[in-house]
Amino acid sequence: MRRLLDRITRPLAVPREEDDGANTLLEAEWLVTNGLGGYSSGTVAGVNTRRYHGLLVAALPNPIGRLVMLNHLGESVCVAGGTPTALGGEERVAGRLDRDVARRLAEFRLEAGLPVWEYEWAGVRIEKQLFMPHKQNTVYVRYCLTKGDAPIRLELHPALHFRSYEAPVNLQITTRYSLAQSAGYYVFESGNPELPPLRMRIDGASASFVHEERVTSEFLYPVEEQRGYEFRGTLWAPGHYEIELAPNAPVTVLASAESEEVMAALSPDEALGCESERRRRLLDAAIATHPEAADEVAAELVLAADQFIFTPAGRVVDATRAAATGDEIRSIIAGYHWFTDWGRDTMISLEGLTLVTGRHREAGFILRTFEHYVRDGLIPNMFPDGSNEGLYHTADATLWFFHALHRYVDVTDDRRTLVRALPTLQSIIDHHLRGTKFGIKVDPADGLLAQGAPGYQLTWMDAKVDDWVVTPRRGKAVEINALWYNALRLLAMWLEEERKHDGFAAQIAEAADRARESFNKRFWSDELGYLYDVIDGEHGDSKHCRPNQVLAISLDHPVLDRARWEAVMDVVQKRLLTPVGLRSLAPGDPEYKERYFGDLRARDAAYHQGTVWAWLIGPYIDAWLKVHPNDVVGARHFLEGFVPELDKFGLGTIGEIFDAQEPYTPRGCIAQAWSVAELLRSWVRTAVAPRAPVAVEPALAEEAVGASAND
């Protein structure tokens, strides 16, 4: 399997002659994560275009959360005693990269998901590679002179401003930053005693540090400007390193929020070897579980999936409680850069990120973690960064929990987790029947689930700007009731399997029968030829043609009568399907928006009013194969448009959303958990000719991924 890991190489076509070619490098972004919620990310050009970019964004214990620590590392090289030449990211005006700087970039590629740059000019070629050790807030940047006969001088200019990754870039530096040297380490202090220092070390060559402390001139962040946020900010620059780079003698810069002892534990070669081995184990586990994952696209998605699974760094109480029972706390980052872990996204993503990839132990950790968080019959909608307490304003995340648990038990036959969860599941259903927070309650008149409370957005498709509710969905939403019926049927099945025949089991079965009958009477519209999106809403029944109706077919227990499946799928295919997912609203609707662009108000106005969501391709494929069970080839065809997207936006991964019209420009987060998860799950499911099973015992696959998760 090591050969497959070596084949996962994604080169970026570096533009050469176009006038705007340099700016293309500003639009392609890379991402490396550390399994704690921390990351390193930027543009191929080396220019930070977002407030979220940085060489080291550390995930620190709450209440600090994610902190930008090493914002920028300017790089320049002196060849044969000449003047310093910038490798990238220094010479820019109004967010544009100088074309001469761009021409020095000979090649950029991802190797097994990790970024590699190669610069060439004046007879020299320099390779740069970046990676992060798993479960460490540390970044390694390695430089190697691969062409050139004589040593050259490498200058590195760190620029810092310790701030929350969400803080605006114009946040004033109000403390006194300082630099001290100790036993080969450079220790940067922010002047805030609550924040750890940034430690840096140069490995592989002697380095001198030239002190020339200053506050930089303003850096520009053009994506923040486009999004309507502050886009000018300064950084603290203490000086620069001067390093002799000899031919074929790598030099590595380490930057870390960890202790010197942790930083010294692994040499750069050992750290890179460990990370390569961890990635190999991830592929071993995935292919042992699904031999269909043994192609380059699936394997690349397996590595992309790994970026979202993390151990929350700051929830000490929860981690301690889990450890006391022999468990571990795990969760899923919904998207990079600005999402934390969201309940809805976690439950939708769980199958693709963990079960398809053979990470069954971690799937169990995640489910048991969220079961512990259930309050008033609800799982958290999200955990704000730096907080131990979840926010519970969601009507669908809890119902997706039933779906995720079912897929988990089907794959693992972990009846112990299921039996342990049954009282919680019964409590959830009871709360929904009687009524819980945010107006979530079964209507006794028809047995359908209603939801809605002023000031809250409770379904995945809600959007609100100040007092303007862009997509009002209070009432009985179609996907909420599809999920509700599915949850009732699943719990009834589990109670039957565990021989828990009591009055509550009979009540659940009766509630399911009633919900199904009412759903088919009330949601189907003969006039429209498809399902209402919301009934009994604030403005009556919603006739908007939206993709939520697909869930009435795609779930394991479809609530929609079989006779209407083809009609719904025909409408969805003709009006909502694109090469990169489903539109959130059909063209021709008065509210339809072609582009998701501009400031917050403009973006939210388009978020669910046409914008394409990649994750919806998963339910669409499930529904398609129910209607056309023998058309696996046709189902795979619906996924082919995603493959070119691995070369764009977030390289080697799939973003959150796309514009509703050609060229379907990617928008939102550069890497989204449910986009990757549902594409990977569907890709494996639609493999036309599955490969022969790999001779790896399931226990060994579990051991491999368990080790990769815990190393």
Side-chain angles (χ1 to χ4, degrees):
M1 214 50 57
R2 192 177 301 276
R3 289 196 300 273
L4 177 59
L5 186 70
D6 294 339
R7 292 205 307 271
I8 306 176
T9 300
R10 180 159 296 279
L12 176 71
V14 178
R16 294 294 169 218
E17 301 301 331
E18 303 89 341
D19 289 341
D20 63 345
N23 284 325
T24 300
L25 303 180
L26 292 171
E27 298 168 358
E29 301 178 50
W30 53 268
L31 171 72
V32 178
T33 64
N34 68 356
L36 295 172
Y39 63 86
S40 180
S41 183
T43 64
V44 172
V47 174
N48 290 350
T49 60
R50 302 179 186 268
R51 73 176 103 169
Y52 305 100
H53 284 160
L55 271 291
L56 177 61
V57 180
L60 301 175
N62 294 333
I64 299 173
R66 284 183 276 190
L67 190 74
V68 184
M69 298 192 71
L70 180 56
N71 305 61
H72 189 260
L73 190 63
E75 305 157 321
S76 59
V77 171
C78 296
V79 179
T83 57
T85 298
L87 294 186
E90 284 296 293
E91 300 176 25
R92 54 189 176 141
V93 178
R96 295 181 65 86
L97 188 69
D98 183 270
R99 286 198 298 273
D100 289 336
V101 176
R103 291 190 185 105
R104 287 191 274 275
L105 180 62
E107 182 180 347
F108 176 88
R109 63 187 179 275
L110 296 181
E111 290 186 356
L114 299 174
V116 178
W117 295 257
E118 293 202 26
Y119 302 95
E120 186 167 18
W121 79 103
V124 302
R125 191 175 182 101
I126 297 173
E127 180 181 275
K128 179 177 78 170
Q129 184 175 26
L130 183 146
F131 62 95
M132 299 183 83
H134 198 57
K135 299 290 185 70
Q136 280 191 44
N137 287 306
T138 303
V139 64
Y140 288 69
V141 187
R142 168 175 279 197
Y143 301 87
C144 186
L145 179 62
T146 59
K147 178 182 178 183
D149 298 328
I152 61 176
R153 189 175 84 237
L154 173 66
E155 293 185 2
L156 300 177
H157 299 252
L160 300 77
H161 181 187
F162 293 6
R163 60 169 174 81
S164 166
Y165 78 132
E166 285 278 21
V169 295
N170 68 339
L171 186 70
Q172 293 297 308
I173 299 175
T174 59
T175 56
R176 175 67 178 172
Y177 279 70
S178 63
L179 167 62
Q181 292 177 243
S182 172
Y185 289 87
Y186 298 81
V187 183
F188 300 87
E189 298 272 5
S190 68
N192 183 343
E194 296 180 359
L195 301 181
L198 174 71
R199 293 183 173 88
M200 295 185 70
R201 191 182 87 220
I202 310 297
D203 187 277
S206 60
S208 59
F209 192 87
V210 178
H211 293 266
E212 44 188 7
E213 182 178 348
R214 64 188 177 90
V215 174
T216 67
S217 57
E218 285 189 328
F219 279 72
L220 305 180
Y221 300 82
V223 175
E224 297 303 307
E225 181 180 16
Q226 294 167 9
R227 291 167 58 85
Y229 298 117
E230 297 292 345
F231 65 97
R232 298 176 184 269
T234 59
L235 304 174
W236 177 69
H240 68 270
Y241 298 97
E242 293 189 352
I243 305 164
E244 185 179 273
L245 202 59
N248 299 311
V251 172
T252 305
V253 179
L254 288 75
S256 180
E258 308 290 351
S259 66
E260 293 179 7
E261 183 178 22
V262 171
M263 292 179 69
L266 296 171
S267 70
D269 284 343
E270 290 171 329
L272 181 57
C274 287
E275 180 58 19
S276 296
E277 175 64 13
R278 190 185 73 85
R279 290 170 181 251
R280 184 191 64 78
R281 290 180 178 182
L282 292 175
L283 294 182
D284 282 351
I287 295 169
T289 306
H290 286 285
E292 301 90 341
D295 68 63
E296 284 83 352
V297 171
E300 190 167 13
L301 290 170
V302 168
L303 296 182
D306 175 62
Q307 295 179 324
F308 304 102
I309 301 170
F310 81 116
T311 301
R315 298 173 201 160
V316 177
V317 172
D318 295 327
T320 302
R321 182 183 290 109
T325 62
D327 234 340
E328 296 181 38
I329 185 173
R330 288 287 192 283
S331 196
I332 289 174
I333 292 281
Y336 291 93
H337 303 90
W338 51 81
F339 281 111
T340 57
D341 44 338
W342 288 56
R344 174 191 303 116
D345 301 58
T346 295
M347 297 308 143
I348 293 173
S349 302
L350 184 128
E351 183 178 5
L353 298 187
T354 64
L355 301 181
V356 171
T357 60
R359 303 176 73 157
H360 303 157
R361 292 174 67 246
E362 288 171 291
F365 292 158
I366 291 166
L367 290 168
R368 291 188 290 272
T369 294
F370 272 86
E371 184 205 341
H372 168 72
Y373 291 135
V374 171
R375 304 285 186 274
D376 301 308
L378 301 172
I379 68 170
N381 186 40
M382 63 169 293
F383 288 89
D385 195 61
S387 174
N388 291 315
E389 298 298 323
L391 302 178
Y392 286 79
H393 52 292
T394 172
D396 54 352
T398 312
L399 304 177
W400 279 111
F401 178 68
F402 286 75
H403 169 83
L405 180 62
H406 178 227
R407 295 294 174 90
Y408 169 75
V409 173
D410 258 10
V411 169
T412 66
D413 198 30
D414 181 1
R415 308 300 294 187
R416 181 174 298 178
T417 290
L418 174 61
V419 170
R420 190 183 93 166
L422 279 177
T424 301
L425 301 176
Q426 291 178 268
S427 174
I428 289 171
I429 296 299
D430 185 55
H431 274 87
H432 283 64
L433 290 169
R434 292 187 292 108
T436 185
K437 293 183 174 181
F438 311 112
I440 300 171
K441 182 181 180 180
V442 167
D443 184 347
D446 58 13
L448 295 173
L449 189 62
Q451 53 78 34
Y456 291 96
Q457 296 83 253
L458 303 178
T459 76
W460 86 274
M461 192 169 263
D462 286 329
K464 184 172 177 287
V465 182
D466 299 324
D467 294 329
W468 173 36
V469 179
V470 183
T471 48
R473 303 192 76 233
R474 290 169 62 181
K476 298 164 185 171
V478 63
E479 82 280 8
I480 298 294
N481 280 280
L483 287 161
W484 170 241
Y485 175 77
N486 189 59
L488 290 171
R489 286 298 184 210
L490 289 174
L491 183 55
M493 177 185 70
W494 290 328
L495 292 174
E496 175 71 23
E497 291 172 350
E498 298 303 323
R499 292 179 167 80
K500 296 185 181 295
H501 304 290
D502 54 22
F504 189 64
Q507 183 184 4
I508 292 172
E510 181 182 347
D513 290 340
R514 188 153 186 241
R516 189 175 192 279
E517 180 182 6
S518 295
F519 183 95
N520 285 280
K521 285 181 178 178
R522 303 212 53 210
F523 275 96
W524 174 258
S525 169
D526 285 324
E527 174 194 357
L528 300 172
Y530 56 83
L531 299 177
Y532 290 115
D533 189 57
V534 178
I535 62 172
D536 297 342
E538 300 168 82
H539 307 290
D541 297 341
S542 170
K543 297 182 179 181
H544 295 300
C545 181
R546 296 192 183 276
N548 303 303
Q549 58 190 306
V550 171
L551 293 177
I553 304 171
S554 66
L555 293 169
D556 293 309
H557 294 275
V559 67
L560 182 63
D561 285 345
R562 174 64 180 83
R564 289 168 176 160
W565 290 3
E566 284 88 346
V568 167
M569 292 301 291
D570 185 56
V571 168
V572 171
Q573 183 179 18
K574 289 178 178 177
R575 303 188 64 187
L576 301 177
L577 182 66
T578 77
V580 285
L582 302 186
R583 295 185 181 96
S584 48
L585 184 64
D589 191 291
E591 303 299 326
Y592 178 74
K593 303 289 189 298
E594 293 186 358
R595 298 178 70 220
Y596 176 88
F597 190 75
D599 62 16
L600 180 60
R601 186 177 182 86
R603 296 196 313 275
D604 277 353
Y607 206 34
H608 298 295
Q609 300 288 51
T611 296
V612 175
W613 289 77
W615 80 270
L616 290 168
I617 199 63
Y620 181 82
I621 293 290
D622 292 340
W624 178 268
L625 289 175
K626 284 185 176 182
V627 176
H628 308 281
N630 298 318
D631 189 19
V632 176
V633 173
R636 170 57 71 89
H637 175 71
F638 299 131
L639 302 175
E640 292 170 356
F642 287 97
V643 177
E645 296 303 321
L646 294 168
D647 286 324
K648 306 173 186 176
F649 205 40
L651 300 175
T653 187
I654 300 295
E656 180 185 12
I657 52 179
F658 299 83
D659 283 344
Q661 300 294 134
E662 291 185 284
Y664 305 110
T665 303
R667 307 283 189 184
C669 281
I670 66 166
Q672 195 77 3
W674 57 11
S675 300
V676 171
E678 286 297 88
L679 175 57
L680 174 57
R681 181 179 70 84
S682 300
W683 188 269
V684 168
R685 185 179 182 191
T686 58
V688 177
R691 292 162 173 79
V694 178
V696 178
E697 293 292 332
L700 294 179
E702 282 293 295
E703 179 183 346
V705 76
S708 73
N710 297 310
D711 282 350

